[in-house]
Amino acid sequence: MEKKQGIFKEFQSAYRINPGVALALLWVTVMPSVGSFSALPILINYSENLQNLVFSDYLVAISYLVLVTVLMGMALMPTTLVAGLSGFIFGWEAFPFLFLAYNIASILGYGWGKKLGGNSLDLILDKYPKAKTLIASKRNRMGELVFFGRLSPVLPFAVSNLLFSLLHVGWKRLVLFGSIGMLPRTILTFWAGTLGTDVYSAINQESISGKAWIFLLLLVLSLWGIWRFLKRN
């Protein structure tokens, strides 16, 4: 109970310092689930029609790029769900556009997070000088944190965008290290989608055996990398 009260007090403190950041955190936590539940019935009903679309049609390619960029960048749908559905509906011809959309969405999410956040993290960390000193000492190695953060299969894309914006990692580091870090799980999820026989099997990745071990490996690597980032001088 005391721990929960402590977390609630910290949230209240963050809200007093910058209500925008607190509301943004609530948004990136809740909205991807809301968007998923809203979109799935539509996708199930129209998946066959969507599968007839081809990316050789520039209008289709551009429309897909804009749509998935907004969905991911504004935290309206989880990136793993977008990747799985893209693989199932469109196949591998959509992957380059998904990769591009992912990076544009990273910049979009980082941009609005930075605009809302300002120097909120510094104000919050004023109460924790050791943590503030630790983060300041890692400024030149933020790319490492971005890479392992993106590699993690449990750290949501939208949440990490907000976190990276508060840390001011820089959009160049975000794109470079983030695009590399996200590739393993994105390729795996996209590949599972291409093997799916329906929407549910695509998003649940039922077609790939041993996927639990792969995600466990990515999780262990990401945790090790983040721990190394924090401990290494």
Side-chain angles (χ1 to χ4, degrees):
M1 181 65 71
E2 291 181 0
K3 184 177 180 181
K4 290 182 178 179
Q5 289 177 344
I7 294 173
F8 182 70
K9 287 181 180 179
E10 290 300 325
F11 184 84
Q12 284 183 317
S13 176
Y15 185 83
R16 285 194 294 269
I17 292 172
N18 188 334
V21 171
L23 294 175
L25 179 60
L26 183 64
W27 177 278
V28 298
T29 304
V30 174
M31 284 308 298
S33 297
V34 175
S36 300
F37 285 116
S38 301
L40 278 177
I42 299 173
L43 291 169
I44 291 171
N45 290 332
Y46 293 98
S47 61
E48 291 185 5
N49 294 331
L50 291 172
Q51 285 175 320
N52 292 327
L53 300 175
V54 292
F55 276 69
S56 57
D57 184 335
Y58 291 114
L59 181 60
V60 172
I62 293 173
S63 298
Y64 169 85
L65 179 64
V66 172
L67 178 61
V68 297
T69 295
V70 172
L71 288 176
M72 295 188 295
M74 299 305 295
L76 297 175
M77 190 176 288
T79 53
T80 50
L81 181 60
V82 172
L85 289 172
S86 296
F88 170 70
I89 295 172
F90 299 112
W92 284 106
E93 65 176 350
F95 189 81
F97 296 92
L98 175 66
F99 182 78
L100 178 59
Y102 187 99
N103 285 287
I104 300 174
S106 294
I107 297 172
L108 177 61
Y110 180 82
W112 69 261
K114 190 175 179 180
K115 185 175 181 180
L116 286 173
N119 63 341
S120 299
L121 186 63
D122 292 332
L123 295 174
I124 294 171
L125 290 177
D126 281 340
K127 297 190 299 181
Y128 309 98
K130 289 185 179 180
K132 188 172 185 177
T133 301
L134 175 65
I135 291 175
S137 68
K138 308 290 185 181
R139 287 295 178 192
N140 294 328
R141 295 177 46 232
M142 283 297 175
E144 188 178 334
L145 178 64
V146 171
F147 172 80
F148 287 107
R150 290 297 200 218
L151 188 66
S152 172
V154 297
L155 182 60
F157 174 78
V159 174
S160 64
N161 277 338
L162 181 60
L163 172 63
F164 294 147
S165 69
L166 292 175
L167 289 170
H168 299 286
V169 301
W171 69 267
K172 291 181 180 178
R173 286 195 186 107
L174 182 67
V175 171
L176 176 60
F177 293 97
S179 61
I180 299 172
M182 70 89 183
L183 272 177
R185 61 171 175 161
T186 304
I187 291 174
L188 180 66
T189 306
F190 192 94
W191 178 34
T194 64
L195 300 176
T197 55
D198 54 43
V199 170
Y200 288 111
S201 65
I203 61 178
N204 290 324
Q205 303 171 38
E206 297 173 350
S207 304
I208 297 181
S209 60
K211 64 181 178 64
W213 290 105
I214 298 174
F215 275 94
L216 180 61
L217 175 62
L218 293 177
L219 177 61
V220 170
L221 284 174
S222 64
L223 290 175
W224 171 81
I226 294 171
W227 174 84
R228 181 172 175 269
F229 168 81
L230 293 173
K231 292 294 184 181
R232 184 180 172 188
N233 292 327

